[in-house]
């Protein structure tokens, strides 16, 4: 075909198509312009509040509402904390897309901003419990902004400062605590080594005493002994608490802690110290984690933190605790603050994920069930309810338990050491596992929007993954819980005395019985079931350990071989304790002339001949979901298959009944709106072209 013919044919086709389009335009029935999707806020798709939201938030936070408002307002006033503006709405958050070096620099600038405004005053020098709780409230809200900022401050105040305060004596307090508050000293915490993490007893750093100079000499004898993951060490820390084996006169006296200067005030690394950067991480890149080696690093004798043991000028080792195991326990007991703060922090981050995903699910629609009907709201799909609402119930229950843990810890006395150790170990593991599971489910529930860093949920997964292993691997912590329970059980049997403490008094009576017609919403049934599981697993663990020992195993090896029962028992203890915490809150709200009721009226339960408050519904869903997810209840026949099936169905029923109150329950979290991602609000406006043009 010639070129002219091609041109002619193309022209004819164009004319034909033009004619078709003109015909369509004459009769527009063939092309119907659909109205654009409009944002429908969650408030339009939710029921009226059935309870006092402000009072519920007070129960969840537990303390210091005004302090939380103060620190939030302080952050809102500075562009150091503002990540984005959408119309009149402001969002606060760290920009995780920035280079690691920039994130670290911004973390220090934000600390300086707080320092200039007196935020840290009294954090170490005020010993009152209310001051410690006020500090905790600020940490919780700082953590809502950025994990790196909270960790950087946590290393400086809780780990470095806490070591000086609780492992040291007056001479250390007078010299170090106020400079730490003022950041004229920047501290870090050198415990973890390349070769040893959870096993602190096994660390390889060695310290000896030189009586001729009255100095300790610290050495890193091998590469596996290098201090690793030391927050603040790579760039900013001037001093560290070094955990090391103390060798005195040819004898290893065990792990002790020493204050060592690692940088001069002008930032130069000190003689006898080598420091390297740990580099980029999957999260927490605003924290400068480093590695430290010591080469005959000399520190004054007075730098030994000596609350448990000391060395005299002439080189004699002295301690009021002669037993090495007891001395190590006394030495480590004050260092539980990390697990307490991680447990609480994990619950708050799960709230951020849930608030974002549930608000999105109350405004986003997908698929119509029949032609000419509107698309269905995500949260009106039973499967979507099942994904998110049980996690909401768990977060509520864990919030109350976290408040109980804080009350015990910040009002602690020596006799509380064991319960704090066991509860903080169990809760740190349970709550951080819950947080990661919640964030993953929320990320998926938000679809593609969950992948955007600015919507936070996906990024929080990477930021908080570290909680599963730092301050103790979760599986190891659960075994520590069961080890403590087992020890109390053996002692009780040996002395023929009743169980006392750790909430195990329920084991002194006969085993609870579970009726075939029991109702999962009944408090008596819930307590009986959780206590039966804990009791039976403890007895089974004791029997298995004894059997292995009778066959020639050592007690230590027998306990290790029983790890499955041990971890199941650790979870059983933790979940029973959480259940008792939420019940304690409910009992505290029993109507009386002096109390304002939290709930305007009980929620009606149509499928049962009685009423429950919203807390009762959440508690029942926490119990039902826990039972449904844990195979132990069927494995050891605490429930029959029919009962287990009935409880599974009850999960769906409870989700359906709680659905009208979801927005109120999320609002009661009290997470300030700027801490959430844009998809928690008008996600159409947040993605408009006008905003894109304004950015560029």
């Amino acid at each position: 075909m010639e070129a002219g013919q091609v041109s002619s044919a193309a022209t004819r086709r164009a004319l034909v198509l033009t004619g078709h389009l003109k015909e369509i335009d004459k009769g527009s029935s063939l092309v119907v312009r659909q109205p654009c999707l409009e944002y429908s806020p969650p408030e339009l798709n939710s029921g009226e509040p059935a309870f006092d939201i402000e009072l519920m938030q007070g129960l969840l936070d537990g303390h210091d509402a005004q302090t939380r408002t103060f620190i939030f307002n302080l952050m809102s006033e500075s562009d150091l904390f503002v990540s984005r503006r959408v119309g009149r709405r402001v969002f606060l958050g760290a920009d995780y897309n920035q280079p690691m070096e920039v994130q670290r620099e911004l973390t220090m600038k934000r600390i300086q901003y707080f320092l200039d405004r007196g935020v840290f005053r009294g954090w170490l020098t005020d010993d009152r419990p209310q001051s410690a709780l006020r500090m905790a409230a600020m940490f919780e809200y700082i953590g809502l902004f950025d994990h790196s900022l909270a960790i950087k401050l946590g290393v400086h105040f809780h780990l470095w400062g806490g070591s000086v305060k609780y492992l040291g004596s007056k001479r250390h307090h007078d010299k170090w605590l106020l400079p730490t508050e003022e950041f004229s000293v920047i501290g870090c915490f050198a415990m973890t080594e390349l070769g040893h993490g959870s096993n602190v007893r096994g660390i390889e750093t060695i310290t000896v005493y030189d009586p001729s100079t009255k100095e300790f000499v610290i050495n890193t004898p091998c590469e596996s002994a290098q201090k690793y993951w030391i927050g603040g060490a790579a760039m900013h820390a001037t001093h560290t608490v070094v955990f090391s084996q103390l060798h005195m006169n040819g004898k290893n006296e065990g792990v002790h802690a020493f204050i060592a200067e690692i940088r001069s005030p002008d930032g130069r690394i000190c003689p006898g110290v080598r420091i390297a950067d740990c580099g980029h991480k999957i999260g927490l890149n605003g924290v400068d984690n480093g590695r430290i080696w010591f080469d005959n690093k000399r520190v004054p004798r007075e730098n030994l933190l000596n609350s448990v043991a000391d060395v005299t000028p002439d080189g004699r080792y002295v301690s009021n605790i002669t037993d090495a195991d007891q001395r190590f326990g006394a030495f480590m007991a004050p260092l539980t603050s990390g697990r307490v703060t991680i447990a609480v922090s994990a619950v708050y981050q799960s709230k951020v994920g849930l608030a974002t995903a549930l608000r999105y699910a109350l405004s986003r629609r997908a698929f119509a069930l029949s032609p000419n009907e509107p698309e269905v709201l995500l949260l009106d799909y039973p499967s979507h309810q099942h994904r998110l609402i049980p996690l909401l119930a768990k977060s509520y229950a864990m919030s109350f338990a976290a408040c109980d843990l804080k009350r015990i810890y910040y009002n602690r006395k020596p006799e509380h050491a064991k319960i704090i150790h066991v509860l903080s170990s169990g809760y740190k593991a349970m709550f951080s596992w819950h947080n990661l599971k919640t964030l993953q489910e929320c990320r998926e529930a938000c679809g593609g929007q969950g992948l955007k860093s600015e919507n936070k949920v996906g990024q929080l997964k990477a930021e908080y993954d570290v909680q599963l292993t730092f301050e103790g691997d979760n599986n190891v912590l659960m075994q520590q819980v069961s080890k403590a329970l087992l020890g109390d059980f053996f002692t009780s049997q040996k002395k023929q005395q009743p169980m006392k403490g750790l909430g195990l008094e329920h084991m002194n009576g006969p085993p609870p019985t579970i009726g075939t017609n029991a109702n999962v919403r009944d408090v008596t049934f819930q307590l009986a079931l959780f206590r039966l599981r804990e009791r039976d697993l403890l007895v089974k663990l004791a029997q298995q350990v004894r059997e292995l020992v009778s066959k020639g195993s050592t007690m230590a090896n027998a306990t290790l071989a029983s790890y499955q029962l041990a971890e199941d028992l650790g979870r059983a203890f933790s979940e029973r304790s959480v259940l008792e915490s939420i019940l304690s809150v409910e009992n505290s709200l029993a109507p009386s002339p002096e109390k304002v009721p939290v709930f305007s009226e009980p929620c009606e339960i149509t499928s049962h001949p009685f009423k429950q408050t919203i807390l009762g519904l959440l508690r029942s869903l926490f119990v039902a979901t826990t039972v449904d997810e844990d195979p132990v209840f069927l494995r050891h026949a605490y429930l029959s298959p029919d009962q287990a099936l009935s409880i599974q169905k009850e999960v769906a029923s409870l989700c359906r009944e709680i659905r009208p109150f979801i927005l109120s329950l999320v609002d009661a979290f009290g997470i300030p709106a700027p801490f959430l991602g844009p998809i928690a609000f008008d996600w159409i406006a947040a993605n408009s072209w006008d905003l894109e043009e304004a950015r560029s």
Side-chain angles (χ1 to χ4, degrees):
M1 185 180 291
E2 299 294 329
Q5 292 176 308
V6 172
S7 176
S8 176
T11 301
R12 285 198 302 273
R13 290 193 186 97
L15 290 172
V16 170
L17 288 172
T18 301
H20 287 323
L21 291 172
K22 286 180 178 177
E23 291 299 319
I24 291 174
D25 188 52
K26 291 177 184 176
S28 59
S29 60
L30 294 179
V31 176
V32 179
R33 182 179 177 84
Q34 297 292 332
C36 288
L37 184 69
E38 293 185 356
Y39 173 72
S40 176
E43 289 76 10
L44 296 181
N45 302 310
S46 304
E48 292 295 321
F51 54 88
D52 184 324
I53 291 176
E54 186 176 349
L55 189 50
M56 181 72 92
Q57 181 185 345
L59 293 172
L60 291 168
D61 286 336
H63 58 94
D64 288 282
Q66 291 182 339
T67 296
R68 297 169 196 274
T69 302
F70 162 75
I71 197 69
F72 166 69
N73 288 339
L74 208 57
M75 288 188 276
S76 301
E77 293 166 1
S78 171
D79 285 345
L80 280 170
F81 300 89
V82 174
S83 60
R84 187 181 177 192
R85 290 180 170 86
V86 178
R88 296 181 179 179
R89 189 174 293 282
V90 174
F91 293 95
L92 304 182
D95 184 354
Y96 299 114
N97 296 316
Q98 292 179 319
M100 177 180 71
E101 294 77 14
V102 175
Q103 292 186 51
R104 291 175 173 182
E105 180 183 354
L106 283 170
T107 297
M108 287 306 294
K109 286 183 177 180
R110 289 161 183 152
I111 289 174
Q112 187 65 49
Y113 175 82
F114 288 144
L115 182 65
D116 292 343
R117 285 151 185 81
V119 168
F120 309 131
R121 194 172 296 123
W123 277 26
L124 289 172
T125 55
D126 188 339
D127 292 329
R128 295 173 300 167
Q130 56 265 41
S131 178
L133 283 166
R134 183 174 180 271
M135 175 182 172
M138 290 197 205
F139 258 104
E140 287 154 19
Y141 264 45
I142 289 170
L144 290 175
F145 168 76
D146 177 34
H147 196 201
S148 286
L149 182 56
I151 291 297
K152 185 83 168 179
L153 289 171
V155 168
H156 180 71
F157 283 103
H158 286 312
L159 297 182
W160 154 265
S163 295
V164 172
K165 187 170 184 176
Y166 300 117
L167 298 182
S169 57
K170 187 177 185 301
R171 73 187 188 211
H172 304 106
H173 303 163
D174 292 344
K175 184 174 181 179
W176 301 104
L177 293 187
L178 185 58
T180 297
E181 279 186 7
E182 296 172 344
F183 272 84
S184 56
V185 164
I186 301 177
C188 63
F189 182 82
M191 177 183 281
T192 297
E193 297 179 354
L194 178 61
H196 290 88
S198 296
N199 180 18
V200 178
R201 287 177 186 262
I203 61 175
E204 297 173 285
T205 301
I206 294 174
T207 297
V208 297
Y209 182 65
D210 182 353
S212 66
T213 61
K214 296 181 175 54
E215 292 175 314
F216 289 105
V217 185
I218 307 172
N219 272 288
T220 302
C222 51
E223 288 297 348
S224 58
Q226 63 181 273
K227 297 298 182 181
Y228 215 96
W229 293 124
I230 311 307
M235 294 181 64
H236 303 127
T238 60
H239 292 74
T240 189
V241 173
V242 185
F243 289 81
S244 170
Q245 306 287 351
L246 175 59
H247 289 202
M248 295 293 299
N249 303 313
K251 179 183 178 184
N252 184 1
E253 298 290 356
V255 176
H256 290 69
F258 307 83
I259 292 174
E261 185 178 12
I262 59 173
R263 278 190 183 83
S264 62
D266 61 4
R268 289 179 297 172
I269 296 175
C270 293
V273 177
R274 288 176 286 150
I275 297 176
D277 201 314
C278 287
H280 195 273
K281 308 178 288 289
I282 65 170
L284 281 180
N285 283 301
V287 177
D288 52 315
N289 292 91
R291 302 147 63 195
I292 308 176
W293 293 257
F294 299 100
D295 305 309
N296 292 318
K297 172 64 179 177
R298 288 181 171 267
V299 301
R301 183 187 68 86
E302 293 79 11
N303 283 21
L304 168 65
L305 295 176
N306 62 343
S307 66
V308 174
D310 207 348
V311 173
T312 63
D314 61 352
R316 287 184 299 109
Y317 181 81
V318 293
S319 175
N320 291 327
I321 306 174
T322 56
D323 182 82
D325 290 338
Q326 291 180 5
R327 192 163 62 235
F328 180 77
F331 184 71
M332 297 301 294
L335 302 179
T336 54
S337 64
R339 292 197 296 271
V340 174
T341 54
I342 290 170
V344 176
S345 165
V347 179
Y348 271 94
Q349 298 310 316
S350 73
K351 293 177 185 177
V352 173
L354 286 164
T356 303
L358 285 165
R359 287 185 63 87
Y360 187 60
L362 284 166
S363 65
R364 181 73 151 81
R365 296 176 179 272
F367 303 106
L369 298 183
S370 59
N372 303 319
E373 284 191 1
E375 291 181 284
V376 177
L377 206 64
L378 290 184
L379 200 58
D380 286 337
Y381 283 103
S383 59
H384 211 78
Q385 293 176 10
H386 203 143
R387 295 175 73 176
L388 296 178
I389 297 179
L391 296 171
L392 176 83
K394 287 186 174 184
S395 290
Y396 260 79
M398 292 177 194
S399 288
F400 299 133
C403 286
D404 282 345
L405 176 60
K406 282 190 290 183
R407 275 190 286 271
I408 297 170
Y409 180 74
Y410 291 114
N411 293 280
R412 64 192 179 279
K413 297 178 181 177
E415 59 266 28
H416 295 147
K418 175 177 263 187
I419 185 64
I420 290 172
H421 166 68
V422 177
L423 270 183
S424 65
S425 297
Y427 284 179
K428 184 266 181 183
M430 178 184 176
F431 296 0
S432 59
W433 272 328
H434 165 73
N435 181 34
L436 263 291
K437 178 180 179 180
T438 298
L439 291 172
Q440 178 64 36
E441 198 64 61
C442 289
R443 208 297 296 158
E444 294 180 35
C446 291
Q449 291 296 322
L451 291 175
K452 293 190 73 176
S453 295
E454 69 175 6
N455 288 326
K456 291 198 171 182
V457 180
Q459 186 65 44
L460 287 177
K461 284 190 340 177
E463 287 293 308
Y464 283 88
D465 187 280
V466 67
Q467 286 191 337
L468 306 187
T469 50
F470 74 5
E471 294 291 333
D473 175 275
N474 281 357
N475 292 285
V476 174
L477 290 179
M478 280 301 187
Q479 291 180 47
Q480 286 187 14
V481 171
S482 63
K483 183 179 179 181
L485 303 183
L486 188 64
D488 277 13
F489 182 71
F490 282 152
T491 299
S492 171
Q493 289 199 323
K494 183 178 180 180
K495 295 184 177 180
Q496 296 184 328
Q497 294 177 346
M499 299 286 288
K500 185 178 181 181
L502 301 179
L504 297 175
E505 289 82 0
H506 67 87
M507 295 192 63
N508 296 326
T513 56
I514 305 299
T516 55
N517 297 319
N519 188 325
V520 73
R521 302 188 189 212
D522 177 57
V523 173
T524 304
F525 168 76
Q526 294 169 358
L527 277 172
L529 184 59
F530 274 38
R531 287 172 175 173
L532 174 64
R533 174 182 54 157
E534 181 183 28
R535 176 193 192 112
D536 186 65
L537 288 172
L538 180 50
V539 171
K540 280 183 166 61
L541 177 61
Q543 290 173 341
Q544 183 165 311
V545 167
R546 281 173 172 155
E547 181 180 347
L548 291 171
V549 169
S550 70
K551 294 179 179 178
S553 176
T554 65
M555 178 65 75
N557 286 336
T559 304
L560 288 175
S562 306
Y563 71 94
Q564 290 172 309
L565 275 173
E567 291 177 18
D568 287 342
L569 174 59
R571 279 189 291 270
F573 166 83
S574 302
E575 289 165 356
R576 187 266 302 161
S577 300
V578 169
L579 173 59
E580 290 180 350
S581 281
I582 190 171
L583 281 170
S584 177
V585 171
E586 291 183 78
N587 291 336
S588 73
L589 300 171
S592 70
E594 295 80 23
K595 290 182 180 177
V596 178
V598 175
F599 312 106
S600 55
E601 61 182 59
C603 304
E604 189 74 43
I605 299 177
T606 55
S607 58
H608 294 276
F610 57 86
K611 296 180 178 181
Q612 288 184 335
T613 64
I614 189 67
L615 277 185
L617 289 174
L618 292 168
R619 167 177 41 79
S620 295
L621 183 54
F622 163 70
V623 170
T625 304
T626 300
V627 173
D628 188 42
E629 292 175 347
D630 189 351
V632 161
F633 289 97
L634 278 175
R635 183 184 298 148
H636 298 297
Y638 307 141
L639 293 171
S640 69
D642 286 343
Q643 287 175 311
L645 182 60
S646 174
I647 288 173
Q648 184 188 48
K649 292 177 179 177
E650 197 70 2
V651 171
S653 298
L654 286 161
C655 288
R656 187 168 57 250
E657 291 168 29
I658 294 170
R659 157 64 180 92
F661 312 109
I662 288 300
L663 184 60
S664 299
L665 290 166
V666 165
D667 287 346
F669 282 160
I671 307 295
F675 285 140
L676 303 179
I679 56 165
F681 307 100
D682 188 343
W683 37 271
I684 295 179
N687 287 280
S688 69
W689 178 253
D690 290 343
L691 279 178
E692 194 63 33
E693 284 191 315
R695 281 181 176 181
S696 59

